[in-house]
Amino acid sequence: MLYGLIFTIASLVYLIVIMLVYYSKEHSKTIQGILYRYMLFSVIIFFVFQIISVFVVYYGLSNTLIFLTWRISWASCILWYELFYFYLVSFINNDKAESFLDFLKSRKFCMVMAIIFAVALFGYFVILPF
Protein backbone atom coordinates (compact mmCIF):
# COMPACT_ATOMS: atom_id res chain seq x y z
CA MET A 1 0.00 0.00 0.00
CA LEU A 2 2.72 2.48 0.92
CA TYR A 3 4.52 1.93 -2.38
CA GLY A 4 1.43 3.10 -4.22
CA LEU A 5 1.41 6.32 -2.21
CA ILE A 6 5.06 7.27 -2.62
CA PHE A 7 4.48 9.37 -5.74
CA THR A 8 1.40 11.05 -4.24
CA ILE A 9 3.21 11.91 -1.01
CA ALA A 10 6.25 13.15 -2.93
CA SER A 11 3.99 15.31 -5.08
CA LEU A 12 2.33 16.73 -1.98
CA VAL A 13 5.71 17.58 -0.44
CA TYR A 14 6.84 19.19 -3.70
CA LEU A 15 3.63 21.21 -3.84
CA ILE A 16 4.13 22.41 -0.27
CA VAL A 17 7.63 23.57 -1.21
CA ILE A 18 6.18 25.45 -4.18
CA MET A 19 3.63 27.09 -1.87
CA LEU A 20 6.36 28.11 0.58
CA VAL A 21 8.36 29.70 -2.23
CA TYR A 22 5.25 31.39 -3.62
CA TYR A 23 4.19 32.88 -0.29
CA SER A 24 7.72 33.89 0.72
CA LYS A 25 7.97 36.33 -2.18
CA GLU A 26 6.10 39.56 -2.76
CA HIS A 27 3.50 39.16 -5.50
CA SER A 28 0.95 41.43 -7.09
CA LYS A 29 -2.79 41.09 -6.51
CA THR A 30 -3.73 40.28 -10.08
CA ILE A 31 -6.28 37.73 -11.21
CA GLN A 32 -3.47 35.42 -12.33
CA GLY A 33 -2.03 35.37 -8.81
CA ILE A 34 -5.44 34.80 -7.26
CA LEU A 35 -6.22 31.92 -9.63
CA TYR A 36 -2.77 30.41 -9.09
CA ARG A 37 -3.34 30.48 -5.32
CA TYR A 38 -6.73 28.78 -5.73
CA MET A 39 -5.15 26.17 -7.99
CA LEU A 40 -2.48 25.40 -5.39
CA PHE A 41 -5.10 24.90 -2.68
CA SER A 42 -7.30 22.70 -4.88
CA VAL A 43 -4.35 20.45 -5.76
CA ILE A 44 -3.38 20.16 -2.09
CA ILE A 45 -6.95 19.16 -1.26
CA PHE A 46 -6.82 16.62 -4.09
CA PHE A 47 -3.60 15.01 -2.84
CA VAL A 48 -4.65 14.99 0.81
CA PHE A 49 -7.96 13.31 0.03
CA GLN A 50 -6.25 10.85 -2.29
CA ILE A 51 -3.99 9.79 0.58
CA ILE A 52 -6.89 9.63 3.02
CA SER A 53 -9.01 7.60 0.63
CA VAL A 54 -6.25 5.05 0.08
CA PHE A 55 -5.89 4.59 3.83
CA VAL A 56 -9.67 4.31 4.25
CA VAL A 57 -9.90 1.66 1.53
CA TYR A 58 -6.85 -0.23 2.81
CA TYR A 59 -8.11 -0.42 6.38
CA GLY A 60 -11.66 -1.22 5.26
CA LEU A 61 -13.45 1.58 7.03
CA SER A 62 -17.06 2.50 6.28
CA ASN A 63 -18.30 2.67 2.71
CA THR A 64 -19.74 6.11 3.34
CA LEU A 65 -16.32 7.45 4.27
CA ILE A 66 -14.80 5.84 1.17
CA PHE A 67 -17.53 7.37 -0.98
CA LEU A 68 -17.07 10.82 0.58
CA THR A 69 -13.28 10.90 0.29
CA TRP A 70 -13.28 9.82 -3.35
CA ARG A 71 -16.00 12.32 -4.25
CA ILE A 72 -14.15 15.20 -2.58
CA SER A 73 -10.92 14.13 -4.25
CA TRP A 74 -12.42 14.06 -7.73
CA ALA A 75 -14.39 17.26 -7.16
CA SER A 76 -11.17 19.07 -6.26
CA CYS A 77 -9.63 17.68 -9.45
CA ILE A 78 -12.53 19.03 -11.52
CA LEU A 79 -12.20 22.34 -9.69
CA TRP A 80 -8.50 22.45 -10.58
CA TYR A 81 -9.34 21.98 -14.28
CA GLU A 82 -11.85 24.81 -14.07
CA LEU A 83 -9.35 27.10 -12.39
CA PHE A 84 -6.67 26.15 -14.91
CA TYR A 85 -9.04 27.08 -17.74
CA PHE A 86 -9.67 30.51 -16.21
CA TYR A 87 -5.95 30.91 -15.49
CA LEU A 88 -5.13 30.35 -19.17
CA VAL A 89 -7.89 32.70 -20.31
CA SER A 90 -6.60 35.42 -17.98
CA PHE A 91 -3.08 35.08 -19.39
CA ILE A 92 -4.18 34.98 -23.01
CA ASN A 93 -6.33 38.10 -22.60
CA ASN A 94 -3.85 39.79 -20.22
CA ASP A 95 -6.70 40.56 -17.86
CA LYS A 96 -6.25 43.18 -15.14
CA ALA A 97 -9.20 42.24 -12.92
CA GLU A 98 -8.53 42.25 -9.18
CA SER A 99 -11.09 39.65 -8.11
CA PHE A 100 -12.49 36.45 -9.50
CA LEU A 101 -16.03 37.87 -9.77
CA ASP A 102 -14.79 40.90 -11.70
CA PHE A 103 -12.97 38.54 -14.02
CA LEU A 104 -16.11 36.46 -14.61
CA LYS A 105 -18.25 39.55 -15.17
CA SER A 106 -15.81 41.05 -17.67
CA ARG A 107 -16.22 38.23 -20.17
CA LYS A 108 -19.48 36.52 -21.10
CA PHE A 109 -17.85 33.24 -22.16
CA CYS A 110 -16.12 33.00 -18.77
CA MET A 111 -19.47 33.26 -17.03
CA VAL A 112 -20.89 30.60 -19.36
CA MET A 113 -17.94 28.29 -18.66
CA ALA A 114 -18.31 28.86 -14.90
CA ILE A 115 -21.96 27.81 -15.15
CA ILE A 116 -21.03 24.75 -17.22
CA PHE A 117 -18.42 23.71 -14.64
CA ALA A 118 -20.88 24.29 -11.79
CA VAL A 119 -23.48 22.11 -13.53
CA ALA A 120 -20.81 19.45 -14.12
CA LEU A 121 -19.87 19.44 -10.44
CA PHE A 122 -23.51 19.29 -9.41
CA GLY A 123 -24.15 16.46 -11.85
CA TYR A 124 -21.09 14.66 -10.57
CA PHE A 125 -22.27 14.80 -6.97
CA VAL A 126 -26.00 14.24 -7.46
CA ILE A 127 -26.70 12.38 -10.69
CA LEU A 128 -23.74 10.12 -11.49
CA PRO A 129 -23.40 6.86 -9.63
CA PHE A 130 -20.04 6.07 -8.13
Side-chain angles (χ1 to χ4, degrees):
M1 176 197 66
L2 184 59
Y3 293 113
L5 286 177
I6 289 176
F7 185 72
T8 306
I9 292 171
S11 298
L12 182 62
V13 169
Y14 181 73
L15 189 62
I16 290 171
V17 169
I18 288 175
M19 282 189 74
L20 289 174
V21 169
Y22 178 76
Y23 282 112
S24 67
K25 297 174 76 174
E26 186 80 22
H27 49 276
S28 62
K29 302 285 184 191
T30 61
I31 188 64
Q32 290 91 358
I34 292 169
L35 289 171
Y36 185 75
R37 195 172 325 130
Y38 291 160
M39 285 170 51
L40 285 175
F41 282 121
S42 69
V43 171
I44 283 180
I45 291 170
F46 175 71
F47 283 137
V48 166
F49 276 97
Q50 281 288 320
I51 293 168
I52 291 171
S53 62
V54 168
F55 277 110
V56 167
V57 169
Y58 182 74
Y59 289 113
L61 299 177
S62 73
N63 287 336
T64 305
L65 192 58
I66 293 170
F67 177 79
L68 185 65
T69 55
W70 281 110
R71 287 286 177 150
I72 292 173
S73 174
W74 280 104
S76 64
C77 185
I78 293 170
L79 179 66
W80 183 85
Y81 284 117
E82 175 183 7
L83 291 170
F84 186 65
Y85 169 78
F86 291 132
Y87 186 73
L88 291 177
V89 168
S90 69
F91 265 112
I92 289 170
N93 295 322
N94 199 11
D95 222 328
K96 300 296 181 198
E98 293 186 13
S99 74
F100 187 63
L101 288 177
D102 291 340
F103 173 71
L104 288 179
K105 290 177 185 175
S106 67
R107 303 208 174 339
K108 290 279 189 198
F109 68 90
C110 286
M111 186 63 82
V112 170
M113 286 305 293
I115 292 170
I116 290 171
F117 278 118
V119 168
L121 276 174
F122 176 77
Y124 173 72
F125 272 109
V126 176
I127 298 170
L128 292 178
F130 197 70

PDB file of all heavy atoms in Angstrom, residues 52-74:
ATOM      1  N   ILE A  52      -5.897  10.082   2.044  1.00  0.00           N
ATOM      2  CA  ILE A  52      -6.893   9.631   3.019  1.00  0.00           C
ATOM      3  C   ILE A  52      -7.733   8.502   2.449  1.00  0.00           C
ATOM      4  O   ILE A  52      -7.997   7.500   3.127  1.00  0.00           O
ATOM      5  CB  ILE A  52      -7.782  10.814   3.465  1.00  0.00           C
ATOM      6  CG1 ILE A  52      -6.976  11.794   4.312  1.00  0.00           C
ATOM      7  CG2 ILE A  52      -8.992  10.325   4.254  1.00  0.00           C
ATOM      8  CD1 ILE A  52      -7.710  13.088   4.604  1.00  0.00           C
ATOM      9  N   SER A  53      -8.149   8.634   1.212  1.00  0.00           N
ATOM     10  CA  SER A  53      -9.013   7.602   0.626  1.00  0.00           C
ATOM     11  C   SER A  53      -8.284   6.267   0.467  1.00  0.00           C
ATOM     12  O   SER A  53      -8.897   5.209   0.649  1.00  0.00           O
ATOM     13  CB  SER A  53      -9.582   8.070  -0.705  1.00  0.00           C
ATOM     14  OG  SER A  53      -8.547   8.305  -1.630  1.00  0.00           O
ATOM     15  N   VAL A  54      -7.000   6.302   0.170  1.00  0.00           N
ATOM     16  CA  VAL A  54      -6.247   5.051   0.075  1.00  0.00           C
ATOM     17  C   VAL A  54      -6.161   4.381   1.444  1.00  0.00           C
ATOM     18  O   VAL A  54      -6.345   3.162   1.566  1.00  0.00           O
ATOM     19  CB  VAL A  54      -4.839   5.296  -0.512  1.00  0.00           C
ATOM     20  CG1 VAL A  54      -3.948   4.085  -0.337  1.00  0.00           C
ATOM     21  CG2 VAL A  54      -4.951   5.667  -1.983  1.00  0.00           C
ATOM     22  N   PHE A  55      -5.920   5.172   2.485  1.00  0.00           N
ATOM     23  CA  PHE A  55      -5.893   4.593   3.830  1.00  0.00           C
ATOM     24  C   PHE A  55      -7.257   4.049   4.244  1.00  0.00           C
ATOM     25  O   PHE A  55      -7.351   2.991   4.863  1.00  0.00           O
ATOM     26  CB  PHE A  55      -5.418   5.627   4.858  1.00  0.00           C
ATOM     27  CG  PHE A  55      -3.930   5.743   4.926  1.00  0.00           C
ATOM     28  CD1 PHE A  55      -3.297   6.874   4.454  1.00  0.00           C
ATOM     29  CD2 PHE A  55      -3.160   4.718   5.464  1.00  0.00           C
ATOM     30  CE1 PHE A  55      -1.925   6.990   4.516  1.00  0.00           C
ATOM     31  CE2 PHE A  55      -1.786   4.815   5.522  1.00  0.00           C
ATOM     32  CZ  PHE A  55      -1.164   5.959   5.047  1.00  0.00           C
ATOM     33  N   VAL A  56      -8.320   4.758   3.890  1.00  0.00           N
ATOM     34  CA  VAL A  56      -9.669   4.314   4.248  1.00  0.00           C
ATOM     35  C   VAL A  56     -10.002   3.003   3.540  1.00  0.00           C
ATOM     36  O   VAL A  56     -10.561   2.075   4.136  1.00  0.00           O
ATOM     37  CB  VAL A  56     -10.702   5.418   3.910  1.00  0.00           C
ATOM     38  CG1 VAL A  56     -12.111   4.892   3.971  1.00  0.00           C
ATOM     39  CG2 VAL A  56     -10.542   6.595   4.856  1.00  0.00           C
ATOM     40  N   VAL A  57      -9.640   2.904   2.270  1.00  0.00           N
ATOM     41  CA  VAL A  57      -9.895   1.664   1.529  1.00  0.00           C
ATOM     42  C   VAL A  57      -9.030   0.529   2.068  1.00  0.00           C
ATOM     43  O   VAL A  57      -9.501  -0.601   2.238  1.00  0.00           O
ATOM     44  CB  VAL A  57      -9.652   1.877   0.010  1.00  0.00           C
ATOM     45  CG1 VAL A  57      -9.641   0.555  -0.728  1.00  0.00           C
ATOM     46  CG2 VAL A  57     -10.712   2.790  -0.567  1.00  0.00           C
ATOM     47  N   TYR A  58      -7.770   0.810   2.351  1.00  0.00           N
ATOM     48  CA  TYR A  58      -6.853  -0.233   2.814  1.00  0.00           C
ATOM     49  C   TYR A  58      -7.283  -0.812   4.157  1.00  0.00           C
ATOM     50  O   TYR A  58      -7.224  -2.018   4.371  1.00  0.00           O
ATOM     51  CB  TYR A  58      -5.437   0.328   2.910  1.00  0.00           C
ATOM     52  CG  TYR A  58      -4.418  -0.696   3.330  1.00  0.00           C
ATOM     53  CD1 TYR A  58      -3.994  -1.675   2.439  1.00  0.00           C
ATOM     54  CD2 TYR A  58      -3.898  -0.693   4.606  1.00  0.00           C
ATOM     55  CE1 TYR A  58      -3.062  -2.622   2.819  1.00  0.00           C
ATOM     56  CE2 TYR A  58      -2.973  -1.638   4.996  1.00  0.00           C
ATOM     57  CZ  TYR A  58      -2.548  -2.593   4.095  1.00  0.00           C
ATOM     58  OH  TYR A  58      -1.632  -3.526   4.475  1.00  0.00           O
ATOM     59  N   TYR A  59      -7.710   0.058   5.062  1.00  0.00           N
ATOM     60  CA  TYR A  59      -8.115  -0.422   6.383  1.00  0.00           C
ATOM     61  C   TYR A  59      -9.580  -0.827   6.440  1.00  0.00           C
ATOM     62  O   TYR A  59     -10.073  -1.214   7.495  1.00  0.00           O
ATOM     63  CB  TYR A  59      -7.803   0.620   7.453  1.00  0.00           C
ATOM     64  CG  TYR A  59      -6.317   0.749   7.693  1.00  0.00           C
ATOM     65  CD1 TYR A  59      -5.641   1.911   7.366  1.00  0.00           C
ATOM     66  CD2 TYR A  59      -5.593  -0.315   8.215  1.00  0.00           C
ATOM     67  CE1 TYR A  59      -4.277   2.019   7.575  1.00  0.00           C
ATOM     68  CE2 TYR A  59      -4.234  -0.219   8.423  1.00  0.00           C
ATOM     69  CZ  TYR A  59      -3.588   0.949   8.102  1.00  0.00           C
ATOM     70  OH  TYR A  59      -2.240   1.047   8.293  1.00  0.00           O
ATOM     71  N   GLY A  60     -10.297  -0.728   5.347  1.00  0.00           N
ATOM     72  CA  GLY A  60     -11.663  -1.223   5.256  1.00  0.00           C
ATOM     73  C   GLY A  60     -12.647  -0.496   6.155  1.00  0.00           C
ATOM     74  O   GLY A  60     -13.513  -1.121   6.760  1.00  0.00           O
ATOM     75  N   LEU A  61     -12.522   0.800   6.228  1.00  0.00           N
ATOM     76  CA  LEU A  61     -13.451   1.576   7.029  1.00  0.00           C
ATOM     77  C   LEU A  61     -14.793   1.673   6.296  1.00  0.00           C
ATOM     78  O   LEU A  61     -15.007   1.044   5.282  1.00  0.00           O
ATOM     79  CB  LEU A  61     -12.854   2.946   7.322  1.00  0.00           C
ATOM     80  CG  LEU A  61     -11.532   2.913   8.109  1.00  0.00           C
ATOM     81  CD1 LEU A  61     -10.980   4.312   8.274  1.00  0.00           C
ATOM     82  CD2 LEU A  61     -11.701   2.251   9.461  1.00  0.00           C
ATOM     83  N   SER A  62     -15.684   2.475   6.795  1.00  0.00           N
ATOM     84  CA  SER A  62     -17.058   2.501   6.279  1.00  0.00           C
ATOM     85  C   SER A  62     -17.121   2.908   4.804  1.00  0.00           C
ATOM     86  O   SER A  62     -16.308   3.687   4.319  1.00  0.00           O
ATOM     87  CB  SER A  62     -17.899   3.466   7.108  1.00  0.00           C
ATOM     88  OG  SER A  62     -17.550   4.802   6.807  1.00  0.00           O
ATOM     89  N   ASN A  63     -18.106   2.354   4.125  1.00  0.00           N
ATOM     90  CA  ASN A  63     -18.303   2.670   2.707  1.00  0.00           C
ATOM     91  C   ASN A  63     -18.676   4.121   2.493  1.00  0.00           C
ATOM     92  O   ASN A  63     -18.346   4.710   1.468  1.00  0.00           O
ATOM     93  CB  ASN A  63     -19.369   1.758   2.110  1.00  0.00           C
ATOM     94  CG  ASN A  63     -18.863   0.347   1.931  1.00  0.00           C
ATOM     95  OD1 ASN A  63     -17.666   0.125   1.831  1.00  0.00           O
ATOM     96  ND2 ASN A  63     -19.774  -0.601   1.910  1.00  0.00           N
ATOM     97  N   THR A  64     -19.369   4.705   3.454  1.00  0.00           N
ATOM     98  CA  THR A  64     -19.743   6.113   3.343  1.00  0.00           C
ATOM     99  C   THR A  64     -18.506   6.998   3.350  1.00  0.00           C
ATOM    100  O   THR A  64     -18.411   7.945   2.583  1.00  0.00           O
ATOM    101  CB  THR A  64     -20.678   6.513   4.500  1.00  0.00           C
ATOM    102  OG1 THR A  64     -21.790   5.628   4.522  1.00  0.00           O
ATOM    103  CG2 THR A  64     -21.148   7.932   4.352  1.00  0.00           C
ATOM    104  N   LEU A  65     -17.559   6.678   4.201  1.00  0.00           N
ATOM    105  CA  LEU A  65     -16.317   7.445   4.266  1.00  0.00           C
ATOM    106  C   LEU A  65     -15.503   7.276   2.983  1.00  0.00           C
ATOM    107  O   LEU A  65     -14.924   8.241   2.475  1.00  0.00           O
ATOM    108  CB  LEU A  65     -15.497   7.018   5.485  1.00  0.00           C
ATOM    109  CG  LEU A  65     -14.316   7.890   5.863  1.00  0.00           C
ATOM    110  CD1 LEU A  65     -14.779   9.317   6.127  1.00  0.00           C
ATOM    111  CD2 LEU A  65     -13.634   7.324   7.088  1.00  0.00           C
ATOM    112  N   ILE A  66     -15.481   6.074   2.448  1.00  0.00           N
ATOM    113  CA  ILE A  66     -14.798   5.836   1.171  1.00  0.00           C
ATOM    114  C   ILE A  66     -15.453   6.668   0.066  1.00  0.00           C
ATOM    115  O   ILE A  66     -14.779   7.347  -0.711  1.00  0.00           O
ATOM    116  CB  ILE A  66     -14.825   4.337   0.811  1.00  0.00           C
ATOM    117  CG1 ILE A  66     -13.986   3.525   1.792  1.00  0.00           C
ATOM    118  CG2 ILE A  66     -14.359   4.110  -0.618  1.00  0.00           C
ATOM    119  CD1 ILE A  66     -14.156   2.028   1.653  1.00  0.00           C
ATOM    120  N   PHE A  67     -16.767   6.619   0.012  1.00  0.00           N
ATOM    121  CA  PHE A  67     -17.530   7.372  -0.982  1.00  0.00           C
ATOM    122  C   PHE A  67     -17.240   8.867  -0.867  1.00  0.00           C
ATOM    123  O   PHE A  67     -16.988   9.550  -1.861  1.00  0.00           O
ATOM    124  CB  PHE A  67     -19.020   7.086  -0.786  1.00  0.00           C
ATOM    125  CG  PHE A  67     -19.921   7.849  -1.684  1.00  0.00           C
ATOM    126  CD1 PHE A  67     -20.115   7.451  -2.999  1.00  0.00           C
ATOM    127  CD2 PHE A  67     -20.593   8.968  -1.227  1.00  0.00           C
ATOM    128  CE1 PHE A  67     -20.947   8.158  -3.836  1.00  0.00           C
ATOM    129  CE2 PHE A  67     -21.424   9.679  -2.056  1.00  0.00           C
ATOM    130  CZ  PHE A  67     -21.607   9.273  -3.367  1.00  0.00           C
ATOM    131  N   LEU A  68     -17.266   9.387   0.353  1.00  0.00           N
ATOM    132  CA  LEU A  68     -17.072  10.815   0.577  1.00  0.00           C
ATOM    133  C   LEU A  68     -15.664  11.261   0.202  1.00  0.00           C
ATOM    134  O   LEU A  68     -15.486  12.295  -0.453  1.00  0.00           O
ATOM    135  CB  LEU A  68     -17.371  11.154   2.040  1.00  0.00           C
ATOM    136  CG  LEU A  68     -17.327  12.616   2.413  1.00  0.00           C
ATOM    137  CD1 LEU A  68     -18.419  13.370   1.688  1.00  0.00           C
ATOM    138  CD2 LEU A  68     -17.478  12.776   3.909  1.00  0.00           C
ATOM    139  N   THR A  69     -14.653  10.492   0.597  1.00  0.00           N
ATOM    140  CA  THR A  69     -13.276  10.904   0.293  1.00  0.00           C
ATOM    141  C   THR A  69     -12.988  10.871  -1.206  1.00  0.00           C
ATOM    142  O   THR A  69     -12.332  11.775  -1.726  1.00  0.00           O
ATOM    143  CB  THR A  69     -12.254  10.025   1.034  1.00  0.00           C
ATOM    144  OG1 THR A  69     -12.484   8.656   0.723  1.00  0.00           O
ATOM    145  CG2 THR A  69     -12.313  10.257   2.519  1.00  0.00           C
ATOM    146  N   TRP A  70     -13.488   9.861  -1.906  1.00  0.00           N
ATOM    147  CA  TRP A  70     -13.277   9.819  -3.351  1.00  0.00           C
ATOM    148  C   TRP A  70     -14.018  10.937  -4.059  1.00  0.00           C
ATOM    149  O   TRP A  70     -13.521  11.527  -5.017  1.00  0.00           O
ATOM    150  CB  TRP A  70     -13.688   8.471  -3.935  1.00  0.00           C
ATOM    151  CG  TRP A  70     -12.654   7.415  -3.715  1.00  0.00           C
ATOM    152  CD1 TRP A  70     -12.755   6.341  -2.889  1.00  0.00           C
ATOM    153  CD2 TRP A  70     -11.360   7.343  -4.307  1.00  0.00           C
ATOM    154  NE1 TRP A  70     -11.604   5.595  -2.938  1.00  0.00           N
ATOM    155  CE2 TRP A  70     -10.720   6.192  -3.812  1.00  0.00           C
ATOM    156  CE3 TRP A  70     -10.667   8.133  -5.214  1.00  0.00           C
ATOM    157  CZ2 TRP A  70      -9.448   5.819  -4.181  1.00  0.00           C
ATOM    158  CZ3 TRP A  70      -9.396   7.756  -5.591  1.00  0.00           C
ATOM    159  CH2 TRP A  70      -8.803   6.612  -5.072  1.00  0.00           C
ATOM    160  N   ARG A  71     -15.229  11.228  -3.617  1.00  0.00           N
ATOM    161  CA  ARG A  71     -16.000  12.322  -4.247  1.00  0.00           C
ATOM    162  C   ARG A  71     -15.312  13.669  -4.048  1.00  0.00           C
ATOM    163  O   ARG A  71     -15.230  14.474  -4.971  1.00  0.00           O
ATOM    164  CB  ARG A  71     -17.424  12.384  -3.678  1.00  0.00           C
ATOM    165  CG  ARG A  71     -18.320  11.278  -4.154  1.00  0.00           C
ATOM    166  CD  ARG A  71     -18.724  11.519  -5.582  1.00  0.00           C
ATOM    167  NE  ARG A  71     -19.525  10.403  -6.043  1.00  0.00           N
ATOM    168  CZ  ARG A  71     -20.462  10.501  -6.935  1.00  0.00           C
ATOM    169  NH1 ARG A  71     -20.750  11.642  -7.479  1.00  0.00           N
ATOM    170  NH2 ARG A  71     -21.133   9.441  -7.323  1.00  0.00           N
ATOM    171  N   ILE A  72     -14.843  13.932  -2.836  1.00  0.00           N
ATOM    172  CA  ILE A  72     -14.151  15.203  -2.577  1.00  0.00           C
ATOM    173  C   ILE A  72     -12.866  15.274  -3.385  1.00  0.00           C
ATOM    174  O   ILE A  72     -12.523  16.325  -3.943  1.00  0.00           O
ATOM    175  CB  ILE A  72     -13.892  15.370  -1.073  1.00  0.00           C
ATOM    176  CG1 ILE A  72     -15.203  15.571  -0.331  1.00  0.00           C
ATOM    177  CG2 ILE A  72     -12.959  16.551  -0.815  1.00  0.00           C
ATOM    178  CD1 ILE A  72     -15.071  15.574   1.169  1.00  0.00           C
ATOM    179  N   SER A  73     -12.160  14.167  -3.476  1.00  0.00           N
ATOM    180  CA  SER A  73     -10.923  14.132  -4.246  1.00  0.00           C
ATOM    181  C   SER A  73     -11.176  14.454  -5.717  1.00  0.00           C
ATOM    182  O   SER A  73     -10.493  15.306  -6.305  1.00  0.00           O
ATOM    183  CB  SER A  73     -10.285  12.751  -4.102  1.00  0.00           C
ATOM    184  OG  SER A  73      -9.172  12.629  -4.929  1.00  0.00           O
ATOM    185  N   TRP A  74     -12.143  13.804  -6.313  1.00  0.00           N
ATOM    186  CA  TRP A  74     -12.417  14.057  -7.726  1.00  0.00           C
ATOM    187  C   TRP A  74     -13.044  15.428  -7.964  1.00  0.00           C
ATOM    188  O   TRP A  74     -12.809  16.045  -8.997  1.00  0.00           O
ATOM    189  CB  TRP A  74     -13.293  12.957  -8.312  1.00  0.00           C
ATOM    190  CG  TRP A  74     -12.475  11.761  -8.629  1.00  0.00           C
ATOM    191  CD1 TRP A  74     -12.404  10.607  -7.927  1.00  0.00           C
ATOM    192  CD2 TRP A  74     -11.559  11.621  -9.712  1.00  0.00           C
ATOM    193  NE1 TRP A  74     -11.511   9.749  -8.495  1.00  0.00           N
ATOM    194  CE2 TRP A  74     -10.973  10.349  -9.610  1.00  0.00           C
ATOM    195  CE3 TRP A  74     -11.175  12.445 -10.755  1.00  0.00           C
ATOM    196  CZ2 TRP A  74     -10.023   9.888 -10.509  1.00  0.00           C
ATOM    197  CZ3 TRP A  74     -10.230  11.980 -11.657  1.00  0.00           C
ATOM    198  CH2 TRP A  74      -9.671  10.721 -11.522  1.00  0.00           C
TER     199      TRP A  74
END
